[in-house]
Amino acid sequence: MSELVKRFEMAFNQIHQTLKEMNGYPKNDNFVELLQRSRDRSIIKEHFDSLRQYAKLRNAIVHERVRDGYYIASPHEEVVEELEKIKRTLDQPPLAMEIASCPVMFFYADSDLLDVMKEFREHRVSQFPIYEGPQGLFLGLLTDTAIVRWMSHNVVDGSVCMEGVKVSDLLEDESMREAVFLPEDESVFEVEDVYERSHANGHKLKAVLLTKSGCRDESPLGIVTAWDLIKVDAGVSGDE
């Protein structure tokens, strides 16, 4: 067996093992089937077509061998290097913090609603984490949609009085969607899994908050939304 074939098969088998892990070791562990099931993951989506072609090459190497040491097909060195590069990326996926928005701006329950609305406008975000200070207990996410809904319920003579209104005044009316918390060193793969599980359970997750150890009452270090994952899929860096 040539050195290139050995390297190709080793990298291919390691990627195959990773795909099995991604899919919970299903009974049908056909490489292409696993690849198709994993297609929504950013790293798999990026290399999907290449990996599908490499699967065909691997079948030709393994199943269409004329005799020992003689193969109908053999990978070029560039192909082997690309497959090994994909394998390394799967072994060391990008961290969630690399795509997260940070630092995270947050407010306390006793913050003035007018101050929060000002930050909504200036930073063009759709939600802020809310904490109960000074203990730092996480209460939920206050969204711009929640503010609009609260205003619609408090219209008097065509206007809404915002003076003296606190964030806590909205908490009773707003069913704050709970965010999921993960450690700061978690991978993008785990964030994708969290969103996929949430979607499968019929819950529209608003955000994943990253803290030092993944505890909900620690200071938020980064926040990852579904839009951040879309930017990754589109090949857009969070810094761009």
Side-chain angles (χ1 to χ4, degrees):
M1 181 183 295
S2 72
E3 185 63 28
L4 284 177
V5 170
K6 288 181 181 179
R7 288 170 55 192
F8 179 89
E9 287 201 313
M10 180 178 294
F12 186 92
N13 290 338
Q14 290 170 334
I15 292 174
H16 193 180
Q17 181 65 22
T18 299
L19 290 174
K20 292 178 185 179
E21 295 172 4
M22 283 183 177
N23 289 274
Y25 297 96
K27 292 182 178 179
N28 183 0
D29 61 0
N30 176 271
F31 184 91
V32 175
E33 289 290 334
L34 295 173
L35 189 65
Q36 185 66 47
R37 293 176 192 172
S38 308
R39 190 170 187 172
D40 288 340
R41 293 177 179 269
S42 55
I43 184 61
I44 299 300
K45 181 180 293 185
E46 180 181 355
H47 299 289
F48 179 83
D49 291 333
S50 295
L51 287 172
R52 188 168 55 179
Q53 293 302 317
Y54 296 158
K56 294 179 181 178
L57 176 56
R58 191 263 182 182
N59 288 338
I61 291 174
V62 173
H63 301 299
E64 299 181 22
R65 184 167 48 188
V66 175
R67 59 180 182 273
D68 288 343
Y70 182 79
Y71 302 89
I72 291 179
S74 181
H76 291 288
E77 185 169 1
E78 293 83 358
V79 168
V80 175
E81 290 175 351
E82 175 62 21
L83 191 62
E84 290 174 337
K85 180 180 178 181
I86 296 173
K87 183 263 179 188
R88 289 194 298 270
T89 303
L90 288 170
D91 286 345
Q92 297 180 323
L95 297 178
M97 282 296 292
E98 294 179 27
I99 68 167
S101 297
C102 52
V104 181
M105 179 174 289
F106 60 89
F107 290 90
Y108 292 105
D110 60 356
S111 299
D112 289 332
L113 183 58
L114 283 174
D115 292 337
V116 179
M117 293 179 65
K118 177 182 177 182
E119 298 302 331
F120 269 119
R121 182 175 64 254
E122 291 187 359
H123 293 276
R124 297 184 179 182
V125 298
S126 60
Q127 58 199 358
F128 287 117
I130 304 299
Y131 290 82
E132 181 72 54
Q135 296 86 356
L137 301 177
F138 176 76
L139 298 179
L141 295 168
L142 179 63
T143 65
D144 51 4
T145 301
I147 293 177
V148 171
R149 182 163 57 250
W150 179 87
M151 292 176 66
S152 70
H153 293 161
N154 289 272
V155 176
V156 177
D157 296 330
S159 63
V160 179
C161 179
M162 308 292 293
E163 196 66 36
V165 179
K166 304 293 184 180
V167 169
S168 57
D169 295 326
L170 277 69
L171 302 187
E172 294 181 0
D173 297 330
E174 163 63 358
S175 176
M176 307 264 276
R177 297 184 182 274
E178 185 176 4
V180 171
F181 288 78
L182 292 176
E184 62 176 329
D185 57 356
E186 197 58 83
S187 73
V188 170
F189 289 168
E190 180 58 30
V191 176
E192 291 178 332
D193 282 345
V194 166
Y195 272 96
E196 289 175 6
R197 289 195 296 267
S198 174
H199 178 74
N201 293 331
H203 174 60
K204 188 177 180 181
L205 182 65
K206 287 290 185 180
V208 170
L209 284 166
L210 305 173
T211 66
K212 184 174 180 60
S213 65
C215 177
R216 61 187 289 113
D217 297 325
E218 293 177 323
S219 298
L221 303 177
I223 183 170
V224 182
T225 66
W227 176 241
D228 293 316
L229 293 178
I230 291 173
K231 289 191 292 184
V232 172
D233 289 343
V236 178
S237 167
D239 295 329
E240 293 180 344

